[in-house]
Amino acid sequence: MSRLISLIVCFQLCWSCFDGTSQVLNDNIKNNFENHLGFNAKGTLLTETQLDNTRAILLAEQERRTDVSKLWFRVQGGTTSQTTYSADWPDAILDKWIALQQDFNLKFIFVINVNDSPSNQRTFFNRWITRGGDYHAIEVGNELYLPKFKNSTPGTLPVDAPEVTAVTAGMTADIYMSSLAVGFVNAFSDLNLPFFFIAAPEKPSLPNVHLYNMQWNQTIASHLTSPLYQSVNSNLTLHLYEKTEGDVNYNQIPNLRNIAPAGTKIWITESGVVDDAVIELAPNPMLVQGNREVTHMNNVLTKLVIGDLILALAPN
């Protein structure tokens, strides 16, 4: 529950760009940013808590006459998406998330577990649809640019990172786009949903990581011009976290857009402030956290354009 207040603050800030009350966000965002705001979730973890908190937020916003049907949810968010399989999702949990979607007419993003096979993931997707759920976008994997992937091999998997498997060990941007993602695109392309492929954030405080991430992005953008990726609605996803105040270059969003094919959407599918120092800021760390979250999300929003998206951290 500790994040609920700051999430509501962020939620209300972002909705101010829809109702025209924001004095900070530009007119382009205020007038056209509908349908592109939402939350991450950790679908199988503390499901009841997540659903209770989410319903509390949505009901409160409905009281304020907010059209919550504009919201997007990344139900299998983050690392969870790459470590859970269809068997880890009992029908009861699926049905609870589907009920939430139906009650509020929400939009869901399906995050593919690239450690699984394309056919298994499509079968899992179909389970949601058969039980009455719906999806509006496909995200292909999660943060495969991280050093734990490229620095591992099938014979030397990290014991504390179950998301790194024989499938994703030794991952590079070229392997991701020329091999791994291809099977999933082929398995899901008949749905005519937009695909989102992994871009990496800038890390100027870590020069070697920063260089690798920028090379990753150049490779991904280059692949998006190939016939396969041009044949589907291909876009990019980016995760932006502020770990110390002021450490995010928000211009990396338009910089990424500039190297991608024209019309590529940039979806910030994870965003937030994860600064451990906040807990030292007594007497009211939650207020400090909330204010930091608001500033961070506002800075992201001002760099997005029509068709882009931002998701806050999970309401758990």
Side-chain angles (χ1 to χ4, degrees), residues 232-252:
V232 295
N233 184 354
S234 294
N235 306 279
L236 294 172
T237 178
L238 183 65
H239 295 171
L240 291 180
Y241 288 106
E242 183 183 80
K243 294 189 175 180
T244 59
E245 195 161 9
D247 71 347
V248 176
N249 173 23
Y250 297 97
N251 285 325
Q252 67 185 282

Side-chain angles (χ1 to χ4, degrees), residues 13 15-27 30 298:
L13 166 89
W15 273 109
S16 72
C17 74
F18 297 140
D19 63 23
T21 62
S22 171
Q23 300 302 309
V24 179
L25 304 177
N26 62 46
D27 289 339
K30 284 192 289 186
N298 190 20

Side-chain angles (χ1 to χ4, degrees), residues 186-207:
N186 289 333
F188 286 85
S189 60
D190 64 296
L191 298 170
N192 295 316
L193 295 175
F195 285 91
F196 288 82
F197 301 97
I198 302 166
E202 294 185 6
K203 294 290 181 182
S205 62
L206 301 169

Side-chain angles (χ1 to χ4, degrees), residues 8 51 72 136 165 175 197 199 201 208 240 309:
I8 291 175
L51 290 169
W72 293 75
H136 297 78
T165 71
I175 293 173
F197 301 97
N208 290 337
L240 291 180
L309 168 145

Side-chain angles (χ1 to χ4, degrees), residues 92-110:
I93 288 183
L94 289 185
D95 290 345
K96 288 174 181 177
W97 282 108
I98 290 168
L100 181 78
Q101 181 179 44
Q102 293 175 340
D103 289 348
F104 295 98
N105 195 26
L106 305 171
K107 295 177 173 63
F108 280 5
I109 300 167
F110 187 82

Side-chain angles (χ1 to χ4, degrees), residues 38-108:
F39 290 111
N40 266 276
K42 299 280 189 179
T44 57
L45 300 179
L46 300 173
T47 302
E48 294 295 341
T49 301
Q50 290 189 79
L51 290 169
D52 288 347
N53 289 346
T54 301
R55 284 185 181 276
I57 292 172
L58 298 180
L59 289 170
E61 288 305 313
Q62 284 185 331
E63 289 293 318
R64 298 175 65 238
R65 300 186 182 278
T66 299
D67 181 3
V68 296
S69 69
K70 296 182 188 319
L71 281 175
W72 293 75
F73 273 73
R74 188 175 182 242
V75 179
Q76 328 111 274
T79 301
T80 302
S81 68
Q82 306 305 294
T83 57
T84 57
Y85 300 78
S86 185
D88 299 309
W89 289 76
D91 288 345
I93 288 183
L94 289 185
D95 290 345
K96 288 174 181 177
W97 282 108
I98 290 168
L100 181 78
Q101 181 179 44
Q102 293 175 340
D103 289 348
F104 295 98
N105 195 26
L106 305 171
K107 295 177 173 63
F108 280 5

Side-chain angles (χ1 to χ4, degrees), residues 25-40:
L25 304 177
N26 62 46
D27 289 339
N28 180 56
I29 294 173
K30 284 192 289 186
N31 294 333
N32 299 294
F33 202 73
E34 62 185 14
N35 296 330
H36 298 88
L37 171 73
F39 290 111
N40 266 276

Side-chain angles (χ1 to χ4, degrees), residues 244-275:
T244 59
E245 195 161 9
D247 71 347
V248 176
N249 173 23
Y250 297 97
N251 285 325
Q252 67 185 282
I253 300 170
N255 291 346
L256 180 60
R257 196 186 315 280
N258 288 339
I259 67 171
T264 299
K265 298 178 182 65
I266 310 294
W267 279 19
I268 313 302
T269 55
E270 291 187 26
S271 178
V273 175
V274 288
D275 186 353

